[in-house]
Amino acid sequence: MTTNASLEQLRRCHLAVDLGAARTRVFVKGAGLVVDQPSAAAVNTRTGALIAVGEFAERMTGRTPAYIRVVRPVSGGSVVHIEMAQRMLRHLIGEKLRRALRRKPWLRAAACTPHDADPLAQRATVETLVGLGARRVEQVDTLIAAAVGCGMPVERPEATMILMCGAATTQVAVLSLGSIVTAQRIPVGGEAIDHAIVQHLRHHHELMLPSQSVRPLQVALSGNGLTEHGPTSTEIHGRDVATGLARSVRVDTAAVRDAIHTPLTAVLDGIGKVLRDCPPDLVADLVDRGIMMVGGSALLPGLDEMLREATGMPVAIAERPDVCAILGIGAMLEGKVQPMVLNPMTV
């Protein structure tokens, strides 16, 4: 979408990869979305052997003996362990598909990269895909890919605002004419919200939560979780900090909402900064068109309503917010996105 040349290069790619802090997704031209798994790998520290990847490795978190370690090769939207990311991707893609890709005489890959990613982070993503056999790697801004994936008319001279709620970071941008006009990357995501809930329960209820049970707590906040209309309390099971014994407590959800508010304030500040940096003509468009939320954490109960109250703008959640970016880059691979053509002046 960026320029005609970039779209032309993307059409020549055979596969696209979105390496996220929470999930890894792979799109293969002609086959569609073939991998959508957690970005986790379980390793035997004695032998260095890979025991499990994806969903199975995720389930092992917090349940392994000392010699098995669950590692996350992607952190904050950047690859932090290139070799482990390559091994994880190889196993997620599978032998059959890898053989089919190896038959390509000049394998080209595309990758989603966060907005304003530093050259080192971009290089790590490229190295990861080169290790899979890619001879050339094209990089696409995650925000543009996500906007295309949720069907936003980014090529028009009208403003569209996208809020990408990831696990480690939240990215917010205003797009027009196929490019980013102004954007902010906020180091707060779904993991920061989980951490705020865990810390609240530890300090106020002396309860330690198992790593897998933070999400159920967020779901327990129900459809209006972050607003006043949600349930007043919910029961949580965990481990007593002092005794180590299993214990249940009834938690006041209003207090949990207050704990969550701190990280969410940073997101609201980021939205405010983007709007302040945006040209007035585009801000006028946004009053009617509002904000489109994408990313896995966009589904946090009541987050859209809270943003609506804070900004006074319409807020919508994409149909499939978690896979918008990979579907957008997949649409570019398959030539479904048309390059922007400037109409010649008629004499």
Side-chain angles (χ1 to χ4, degrees):
M1 194 60 185
T2 41
T3 64
N4 292 10
S6 296
L7 269 181
E8 199 53 51
Q9 287 163 352
L10 284 169
R11 285 202 190 105
R12 295 189 196 130
C13 292
H14 303 102
L15 79 155
V17 178
D18 180 10
L19 281 165
R23 296 186 81 85
T24 292
R25 299 180 176 95
V26 179
F27 185 101
V28 174
K29 195 187 238 175
L33 187 62
V34 294
V35 173
D36 183 1
Q37 293 273 349
S39 303
V43 184
N44 184 329
T45 53
R46 292 172 186 165
T47 63
L50 206 58
I51 295 169
V53 293
E55 206 82 56
F56 191 36
E58 175 93 334
R59 287 208 302 272
M60 287 183 178
T61 307
R63 299 167 184 268
T64 58
Y67 68 93
I68 295 176
R69 193 161 61 96
V70 177
V71 292
R72 295 187 172 274
V74 185
S75 175
S78 306
V79 178
V80 290
H81 196 313
I82 294 171
E83 189 204 346
M84 191 53 69
Q86 288 173 350
R87 291 172 73 187
M88 180 185 78
L89 269 175
R90 277 192 209 108
H91 280 77
L92 288 175
I93 290 172
E95 187 59 41
K96 187 180 171 188
L97 188 54
R98 272 208 328 275
R99 273 203 306 269
L101 290 171
R102 272 203 296 266
R103 289 193 203 107
K104 309 283 183 192
W106 186 273
L107 182 64
R108 288 169 175 256
C112 288
T113 52
H115 181 69
D116 277 351
D118 60 78
L120 208 60
Q122 292 180 11
R123 185 75 194 154
T125 304
V126 171
E127 289 287 334
T128 302
L129 296 185
V130 166
L132 284 178
R135 306 291 291 275
R136 186 182 171 98
V137 179
E138 306 292 345
Q139 297 189 62
V140 179
D141 196 303
T142 309
L143 291 165
I144 292 177
V148 170
C150 62
M152 293 172 80
V154 284
E155 74 283 356
R156 292 187 196 159
E158 299 161 7
T160 50
M161 191 172 194
I162 189 160
L163 181 74
M164 184 146 198
C165 311
T169 56
T170 299
Q171 300 173 74
V172 57
V174 174
L175 309 170
S176 180
L177 290 170
S179 296
I180 293 170
V181 177
T182 175
Q184 271 293 114
R185 194 167 165 208
I186 308 141
V188 168
E191 287 172 359
I193 291 165
D194 292 351
H195 184 68
I197 293 172
V198 169
Q199 289 303 309
H200 169 78
L201 291 171
R202 190 178 183 120
H203 292 146
H204 294 85
H205 298 278
E206 296 185 340
L207 194 75
M208 280 179 75
L209 279 187
S211 57
Q212 309 288 334
S213 69
V214 179
R215 291 290 171 196
L217 173 55
Q218 290 178 0
V219 173
L221 293 171
S222 90
N224 303 317
L226 298 179
T227 63
E228 309 301 323
H229 319 300
T232 54
S233 65
T234 183
E235 194 166 353
I236 302 297
H237 307 284
R239 192 180 82 187
D240 191 286
V241 171
T243 64
L245 300 174
R247 186 160 67 92
S248 298
V249 292
R250 187 152 279 281
V251 179
D252 183 20
T253 49
V256 175
R257 278 198 297 272
D258 288 343
I260 289 174
H261 256 279
T262 309
L264 290 182
T265 306
V267 175
L268 292 174
D269 289 347
I271 293 172
K273 188 171 189 320
V274 165
L275 290 172
R276 284 195 300 276
D277 294 346
C278 194
D281 293 3
L282 294 180
V283 175
D285 291 346
L286 293 173
V287 172
D288 304 323
R289 308 185 70 162
I291 304 170
M292 177 65 81
M293 292 174 67
V294 297
S297 300
L299 297 169
L300 185 70
L303 178 56
D304 54 333
E305 197 169 319
M306 184 198 154
L307 289 174
R308 209 173 288 126
E309 286 172 13
T311 60
M313 293 196 298
V315 177
I317 300 175
E319 195 177 331
R320 295 177 68 192
D322 49 341
V323 292
C324 277
I326 194 69
L327 293 181
I329 201 169
M332 295 179 197
L333 254 65
E334 296 190 327
K336 292 178 182 172
V337 180
Q338 295 305 312
M340 186 170 57
V341 178
L342 300 174
N343 292 328
M345 289 170 64
T346 51
V347 181

